[in-house]
Amino acid sequence: MTNKSPFLTRDQRRAQHALSKVREVPDKLQSDYQTLVKGFSATIVTNGLGQACAMLLAKAENKDASNSAHRRLYEHLSDWLLTEAKVYPDDTKELIEAVIGHGQSQYIRAQAESLAYLDWLKKFAQAYLSKKED
Amino acid sequence: MKTMLYGLLAESPIHPGAGQSTGFVDLPVAREAATDYPVIVGSGMKGALLGMARDHDWDESQRNDVFGKHDNAGGLLVSDARLLLLPVRSLTSSYMWLTCPHLIDRYDRDRKRTLDSDDQLQSIVLEDVAEQPPQYLGPDVGELFLEERQFARAGDLPDGLIETLIPLFAHDKASARLSKQLVVVSDDSFTWFARYGLPVNARNILNEKNKTSKNLWYEETLPPDSLFYCLLAERSAGALGKVNELFGKRPYIQVGGNETIGHGWFALSAPQEGGTQ
């Protein structure tokens, strides 16, 4: 799905990944997802990456990604950090365990990577997802 | 050329805007391109000074002499205001004032350029502060927790550092806290705090009828007690004297955005002078 051509910049890879994920968001979650993504970078910066991820899990309340925008964002972030950006060792399965279980330098890299990725996610969510009318 | 170096101590949050961004906040503070340190560019400082001059009823010819206009340069040179100490919240104590070897070195160089009497200038010699594992120089508080990060103590503050900073403070009580709150970390660690450690405020416009959000945005500010410094020099004699008159009446200046919600106020220290008359 994601093009891994070496001629792409890292930011292009972030953009490709973000775009494909945003397009998978189902209709009923689009408005919630858009609002959530808009403020999530600020949540990371004010509370820390670990707390921000834990907040997503708490709000998802054990729902799966087809019923929860929070769970969906958690999985998008997880897929980027663990599978594509490979911030953590290959055998890491769960994002929250990775974030709280590795050293400061990885934490810092994961935070920077999350924020850069969220820039794209935020823009694409605004561009492609429909917002609830009030 | 006569020059003066002023310390600028933030009395309120400061928002030197950089316009809209696609980054993690909608309205970030202005940053230097190469280092990502927050900065107040010279044109912004000059604009703030011109605003003060207007408030003090300078007539047009006076303003043109000092600040210039489209077809003539003014007599005053205004530098960027550069960051020197950044307050960062600490888990175990009050906030800490953070700085790093690069900022101290740059301050040393700026002083050399402006204050040319050698005896005022004691260069600060810094021990190494390691990045991995992260270390700090400063008062012994054991393990230091800043935001979510942890630092081990590597030693005392370099000799003479506090003494060179004191003249930049407008308030004695504030500078008296330096020995308890000043901390030097590595350049890389400092950059992380300068990038991600600033306060982010959510602001909102409400729909008047049903009080739902019409527009939510996030903006970044520099916290109160941030310490900057700025150099003023004169091309034509007398320009600095006139500016000092402004400050003499009230040693405060408002810089940057969000003026109507109380942001942007700096207290000015008494200037350190240099150069020939």
Side-chain angles (χ1 to χ4, degrees):
Chain A
M1 170 189 60
T2 304
N3 186 349
K4 283 188 183 153
S5 154
F7 301 110
L8 290 178
T9 67
R10 197 170 181 81
D11 214 35
Q12 284 176 301
R13 285 180 47 209
R14 288 184 196 115
Q16 283 194 343
H17 190 269
L19 183 57
S20 70
K21 293 297 176 190
V22 162
R23 285 186 165 148
E24 289 169 12
V25 176
D27 289 351
K28 62 175 177 174
L29 296 181
Q30 290 199 352
S31 177
D32 285 352
Y33 186 87
Q34 195 186 56
T35 312
L36 175 63
V37 165
K38 191 172 181 223
F40 195 65
S41 310
T43 307
I44 292 179
V45 174
T46 42
N47 303 298
L49 180 62
Q51 290 285 355
C53 289
M55 185 275 275
L56 288 181
L57 289 176
K59 297 254 178 169
E61 293 172 352
N62 255 331
K63 288 181 195 145
D64 62 35
S66 57
N67 286 314
S68 161
H70 290 86
R71 182 79 210 181
R72 196 157 280 254
L73 176 58
Y74 179 81
E75 289 184 358
H76 292 173
L77 207 52
S78 174
D79 194 60
W80 173 252
L81 292 176
L82 300 183
T83 315
E84 301 288 332
K86 295 197 184 299
V87 177
Y88 293 105
D90 276 345
D91 57 343
T92 317
K93 294 276 180 294
E94 187 62 45
L95 177 61
I96 191 74
E97 284 172 22
V99 170
I100 60 185
H102 290 85
Q104 270 193 67
S105 59
Q106 268 146 319
Y107 191 91
I108 286 164
R109 222 192 111 199
Q111 187 198 20
E113 202 45 79
S114 306
L115 292 172
Y117 178 64
L118 277 159
D119 281 358
W120 286 109
L121 220 46
K122 189 161 67 173
K123 279 285 164 285
F124 288 143
Q126 272 166 350
Y128 294 110
L129 302 186
S130 58
K131 191 160 178 60
K132 221 183 300 178
E133 296 298 325
D134 46 13
Chain B
M1 188 161 60
K2 195 176 165 193
T3 58
M4 286 187 178
L5 190 153
Y6 292 87
L8 298 162
L9 182 65
E11 303 281 76
S12 68
I14 310 286
H15 181 71
Q20 284 223 329
S21 99
T22 60
F24 65 90
V25 288
D26 303 297
L27 297 176
V29 302
R31 288 185 156 82
E32 297 174 11
T35 59
D36 256 357
Y37 302 151
V39 68
I40 300 159
V41 294
S43 59
M45 288 302 299
K46 190 175 166 188
L49 287 167
L50 176 58
M52 274 179 96
R54 283 209 189 91
D55 291 345
H56 283 87
D57 297 326
W58 285 22
D59 62 33
E60 199 180 342
S61 74
Q62 264 184 312
R63 296 201 304 261
N64 288 345
D65 286 348
V66 175
F67 297 103
K69 52 181 181 179
H70 282 303
D71 44 6
N72 71 285
L76 184 71
L77 311 176
V78 185
S79 79
D80 293 348
R82 289 179 150 177
L83 181 66
L84 193 51
L85 301 181
L86 179 69
V88 171
R89 69 181 159 186
S90 164
L91 194 67
T92 49
S93 56
S94 171
Y95 72 84
M96 291 291 176
W97 266 308
L98 241 63
T99 189
C100 68
H102 177 219
L103 284 189
I104 295 167
D105 175 47
R106 199 164 76 163
Y107 176 52
D108 260 353
R109 278 158 51 189
D110 282 335
R111 285 191 312 157
K112 286 205 174 76
R113 186 156 54 92
T114 48
L115 315 174
D116 52 8
S117 58
D118 292 337
D119 54 358
Q120 293 183 46
L121 298 175
Q122 183 197 3
S123 285
I124 304 298
V125 182
L126 273 173
E127 286 176 54
D128 272 353
V129 213
E131 173 58 31
Q132 279 307 333
Q135 291 184 332
Y136 74 95
L137 303 174
D140 191 356
V141 290
E143 290 285 296
L144 176 64
F145 295 89
L146 296 168
E147 298 281 349
E148 309 136 85
R149 300 188 55 190
Q150 188 176 351
F151 294 80
R153 187 166 186 267
D156 290 327
L157 289 173
D159 286 340
L161 177 59
I162 288 183
E163 288 74 8
T164 54
L165 296 178
I166 284 175
L168 299 176
F169 278 78
H171 307 295
D172 294 343
K173 274 189 184 163
S175 61
R177 290 191 278 114
L178 277 172
S179 60
K180 279 189 284 183
Q181 288 178 255
L182 181 62
V183 161
V184 181
V185 297
S186 73
D187 294 344
D188 289 354
S189 291
F190 183 86
T191 303
W192 187 84
F193 287 105
R195 229 174 245 159
Y196 304 123
L198 304 189
V200 175
N201 309 315
R203 292 187 62 192
N204 209 346
I205 295 175
L206 295 181
N207 186 320
E208 279 178 35
K209 281 190 196 133
N210 55 12
K211 301 290 184 263
T212 53
S213 171
K214 262 167 66 183
N215 186 16
L216 172 69
W217 75 98
Y218 293 88
E219 67 183 26
E220 195 178 37
T221 55
L222 287 147
D225 281 8
S226 299
L227 185 76
F228 284 78
Y229 63 92
C230 173
L231 313 174
L232 300 184
E234 58 184 16
R235 282 172 65 239
S236 53
L240 271 178
K242 284 187 179 171
V243 171
N244 276 329
E245 266 174 43
L246 290 178
F247 295 149
K249 291 178 182 150
R250 194 162 173 268
Y252 291 96
I253 185 169
Q254 197 278 333
V255 187
N258 293 344
E259 185 178 3
T260 57
I261 53 170
H263 290 186
W265 286 101
F266 281 114
L268 276 115
S269 67
Q272 305 172 61
E273 288 189 43
T276 46
Q277 300 269 351

